[in-house]
Amino acid sequence: MPRRGGHERALPDIIRLSQRLIELGKDNWELAVYPVEDHGFVEPSSWTDEYKRILKLFTTNLLTP
């Protein structure tokens, strides 16, 4: 039997939030879903992806004049 984490309950919230951002015409947002992870990261690929996204966010928004 697969392990069940808290992410099953959060999925409808993520879907509703995404839909609402689309309806409001928001264009400066991003969603990263890690389906193999529970509340915290375990997989090295998830950590790598998260930190690449954070670095991109910082360099794009904090280092550019």
Side-chain angles (χ1 to χ4, degrees), residues 37-59:
E37 301 290 8
D38 198 3
H39 185 67
F41 288 158
V42 176
E43 295 294 322
S45 59
S46 299
W47 283 107
T48 302
D49 182 70
E50 178 191 34
Y51 283 113
K52 283 181 181 178
R53 291 171 185 271
I54 292 170
L55 179 61
K56 180 183 172 190
L57 177 74
F58 284 0
T59 57

